[in-house]
Amino acid sequence: MVVVGAPGVVTKKQVLAWGFWDWGGAAFQAVILTFVFSVYLTDSVGADLPGGVSATSWLGWSLGIAGVLVAVLAPVSGQRSDARGRRKRLLFVLSTATVVCMAALFFVKDDYHYLWLGLILLSVASVLFEVAQVPYTAMLRQVSTPDNLGRVSGFGWAMGYFGGIALLLMCYFGFIAGDGDERGLLGITTEDGLNIRLVALLAAVWFLVFSLPVLFAVPELPVTDPEAAAARAGYLESYRVLWRDVSELWRTDRRTVWFLVASALFRDGLAGVFTFGAVLAVTVYGISSADVLLFGVAANVVAALGAVVAGRVDDVLGPKLVIVVSLVSMIVAGLVLLAVSGPLMFWIFGLILCLFVGPAQSASRTFLTRIVPPGREGQMFGLYATTGRAVSFLAPSLFGLFVFLFDADRAGIIGIVLVLAAGLLALLRVAAPEGDRGRDAAA
């Protein structure tokens, strides 16, 4: 029998099955949360919302509450799945629940009375999906060896980007493109938002289908110590165990703590690149609204290719060097964008920014995987999710602050660059993983 995670016995089938979860997860991240359904909620369903608070504000607040819940639930969920050997079971339950919420979005008609249903479903799905990423990412060590950890992580990120591209194009040409009362090649009516509601169903089926392979191909995590406190604790008691473990981590392994802090900073900057890239493309650099979709596809392609190539570099020179080079390159590209104008310059330097997003994200999780003790991956990646949520306000807040101070959308780039720089400076003080062949180069 093949034992997943043992040196040299991980199969390509298991790696591919693990990557398919990322491919399927793009249905929620790209279609539901970012480009399609959230826009439908704010621009169509909530367009006629009475009162002084816009649908966009309600969306922001509801997702903010969801972020708080993720920060509270993620580390304990990861800890319990590690201790009880139920990592795959947790992934199945959370993925299935996310699919149910996505499918239920079909009932959100184009009427402001349905806005609250849409916001609740979207927020709950966001919590479920974010927490599901904890056991999924913790499985990285189960489907890789120390020699190919970076390549496997980069492969997963690339699968997510390419999955998003494939499904976005299917949704656009099949259900959204065109004008009038019928849209897309399928000629779906826009009455009651039916074309977008069908997109939600398609996204749910997509995620369901591609979330299944990992559940069949990768064996469950074995119980390491059934008598451990985390294995025997109830849910509320798990928080006491978590606090004990974090306190012990601070006393015995501050490198991990500092890495969690540093990665939270630069990951927020990475998120800011995609969050505000489309806005800046239209308002500052003169790219048309139609061409923004093409830029988005190109951005996902280069980010995916960057993640694949950097995964190989990660295995040779280590994750810290990959992250440092990526952040420095993004900071330089961001500063250049402050000084240039026009669509061509944005295409060039905007894609350079996106090229290094994938490598930084992929190497970040391989860095943590390399320094986490075996059997505690779920708990640490739960903390990874929590610390990321804790500072997720930085890039948006600084972006808005600099836009306000200079009365120019372009100035918002300064805020994103500052967050990336803060993450870089914090990372430089974190020692690279043992055996990292790029330690001296990174230093």
Side-chain angles (χ1 to χ4, degrees):
M1 178 180 290
V2 172
V3 181
V4 178
V9 296
V10 178
T11 67
K12 291 183 179 180
K13 177 182 177 181
Q14 292 162 349
V15 175
L16 182 62
W18 181 78
F20 269 132
W21 194 92
D22 253 329
W23 174 282
F28 178 74
Q29 289 183 309
V31 174
I32 300 298
L33 190 61
T34 304
F35 292 110
V36 180
F37 207 87
S38 60
V39 176
Y40 167 69
L41 281 180
T42 55
D43 289 355
S44 298
V45 178
D48 300 322
L49 183 68
V53 180
S54 68
T56 302
S57 296
W58 284 114
L59 174 65
W61 291 339
S62 61
L63 291 179
I65 294 172
V68 173
L69 291 175
V70 171
V72 172
L73 297 174
V76 167
S77 298
Q79 168 194 281
R80 289 169 62 83
S81 67
D82 284 349
R84 300 186 176 197
R86 296 176 180 175
R87 188 176 288 171
K88 191 168 71 171
R89 179 188 298 184
L90 179 63
L91 180 63
F92 168 74
V93 171
L94 293 171
S95 299
T96 303
T98 304
V99 167
V100 171
C101 288
M102 292 168 64
L105 290 171
F106 174 78
F107 299 103
V108 181
K109 296 183 179 181
D110 188 2
D111 184 309
Y112 74 84
H113 293 94
Y114 291 88
L115 176 64
W116 316 114
L117 175 62
L119 291 176
I120 291 172
L121 288 173
L122 188 64
S123 300
V124 172
S126 179
V127 174
L128 294 169
F129 183 77
E130 290 286 345
V131 178
Q133 291 190 76
V134 173
Y136 168 73
T137 308
M139 294 173 74
L140 176 57
R141 184 175 277 166
Q142 291 174 251
V143 295
S144 65
T145 67
D147 292 331
N148 68 6
L149 182 62
R151 278 171 287 170
V152 172
S153 179
F155 170 74
W157 277 111
M159 287 287 281
Y161 286 125
F162 284 129
I165 294 167
L167 187 56
L168 279 172
L169 291 177
M170 288 174 58
C171 293
Y172 179 76
F173 289 110
F175 300 86
I176 299 174
D179 298 312
D181 295 333
E182 295 183 351
R183 301 289 179 88
L185 297 176
L186 299 177
I188 307 298
T189 179
T190 59
E191 185 177 358
D192 288 331
L194 180 62
N195 62 323
I196 304 300
R197 291 158 53 205
L198 287 174
V199 164
L201 280 182
L202 173 62
V205 173
W206 180 280
F207 189 21
L208 175 63
V209 170
F210 290 107
S211 67
L212 293 177
V214 68
L215 302 175
F216 292 103
V218 181
E220 182 59 277
L221 176 75
V223 179
T224 55
D225 184 3
E227 298 303 319
R232 293 181 286 104
Y235 205 91
L236 294 178
E237 178 68 10
S238 295
Y239 285 96
R240 186 189 65 79
V241 176
L242 175 65
W243 177 253
R244 183 205 64 190
D245 290 347
V246 171
S247 300
E248 179 185 354
L249 186 68
W250 174 254
R251 292 192 302 269
T252 60
D253 186 11
R254 294 193 182 183
R255 175 179 61 178
T256 300
V257 176
W258 284 117
F259 177 73
L260 290 172
V261 173
S263 68
L265 290 170
F266 67 71
R267 283 185 289 135
D268 189 45
L270 299 177
V273 171
F274 272 102
T275 301
F276 299 106
V279 175
L280 293 173
V282 175
T283 62
V284 176
Y285 298 95
I287 293 180
S288 69
S289 299
D291 288 342
V292 166
L293 178 62
L294 297 178
F295 179 82
V297 171
N300 278 276
V301 169
V302 299
L305 294 177
V308 171
V309 173
R312 296 184 175 274
V313 177
D314 184 329
D315 287 331
V316 176
L317 297 177
K320 182 173 181 179
L321 183 63
V322 173
I323 301 172
V324 169
V325 171
S326 298
L327 294 179
V328 169
S329 301
M330 294 177 71
I331 290 169
V332 171
L335 293 175
V336 172
L337 281 172
L338 277 172
V340 301
S341 299
L344 178 61
M345 290 294 99
F346 183 82
W347 271 91
I348 294 173
F349 291 99
L351 289 180
I352 290 175
L353 272 172
C354 295
L355 176 65
F356 291 100
V357 170
Q361 290 174 322
S362 175
S364 178
R365 68 182 181 186
T366 65
F367 191 115
L368 184 58
T369 301
R370 292 182 191 277
I371 63 176
V372 169
R376 294 183 63 183
E377 296 92 347
Q379 182 187 48
M380 289 300 105
F381 276 105
L383 290 172
Y384 186 76
T386 295
T387 52
R389 284 291 185 175
V391 300
S392 61
F393 65 91
L394 276 178
S397 299
L398 288 177
F399 182 91
L401 175 63
F402 281 96
V403 169
F404 172 76
L405 291 177
F406 291 92
D407 194 24
D409 288 353
R410 180 193 299 267
I413 298 174
I414 300 174
I416 297 175
V417 168
L418 286 177
V419 176
L420 291 173
L424 173 62
L425 292 175
L427 179 67
L428 290 176
R429 65 168 294 170
V430 181
E434 286 72 13
D436 191 326
R437 285 159 282 187
R439 295 179 75 168
D440 296 335

